[in-house]
Amino acid sequence: MYVVISNDFLEIKGDKGLEKITRSDIEYIIEGNHRQLFKIYNVVHIFAKDGRYFYLTSEINSFKKLKKQLNNNFKDVYIKKKKVIQMNFVVNKENLIKMN
């Protein structure tokens, strides 16, 4: 998997092939910590206006750099959540936005 971050778009290459999301198509980028059993993962959720959804976890290389770059390039749609998301939490943009 690789991610290309530009001021105008995001390009994500994964299992589904190459996905390109333009700046105007990005609805939210939400960063949060998820608890899975005994481990906490830092996850970035990317929601597109057309319904596409992607997530990136702290298990990828240069994750801190990637988060910083996403925050710098997409400040208007980047949201960082402080509360830990529990295992039984249903991940969707409405639930993530409501969280403190």
Side-chain angles (χ1 to χ4, degrees):
M1 168 182 264
Y2 75 83
V3 179
V4 175
I5 302 169
S6 160
N7 286 332
D8 301 325
F9 66 89
L10 277 176
E11 198 171 78
I12 301 171
K13 171 96 167 79
D15 296 339
K16 300 178 194 175
L18 185 65
E19 295 276 351
K20 188 172 183 176
I21 311 168
T22 62
R23 173 181 275 287
S24 61
D25 288 339
I26 297 172
E27 188 169 12
Y28 297 107
I29 298 174
I30 302 173
E31 177 190 343
N33 292 315
H34 291 260
R35 180 183 305 280
Q36 294 289 331
L37 296 178
F38 301 110
K39 190 168 180 182
I40 294 178
Y41 296 91
N42 193 235
V43 179
V44 173
H45 303 273
I46 302 167
F47 296 95
K49 291 177 182 173
D50 63 4
R52 290 182 290 169
Y53 166 73
F54 305 93
Y55 67 93
L56 308 167
T57 68
S58 53
E59 294 181 321
I60 65 172
N61 294 336
S62 304
F63 189 68
K64 286 182 182 180
K65 182 179 175 184
L66 181 132
K67 289 188 311 183
K68 185 176 180 179
Q69 202 172 1
L70 282 171
N71 191 5
N72 290 339
N73 290 15
F74 301 100
K75 284 183 192 274
D76 52 331
V77 294
Y78 195 93
I79 301 168
K80 183 173 181 173
K81 296 296 181 178
K82 292 184 180 13
K83 188 175 179 182
V84 174
I85 301 164
Q86 299 302 320
M87 229 169 50
N88 58 354
F89 186 81
V90 176
V91 175
N92 63 40
K93 62 186 169 199
E94 291 81 16
N95 286 348
L96 285 170
I97 291 169
K98 286 181 203 172
M99 264 182 55
N100 291 332

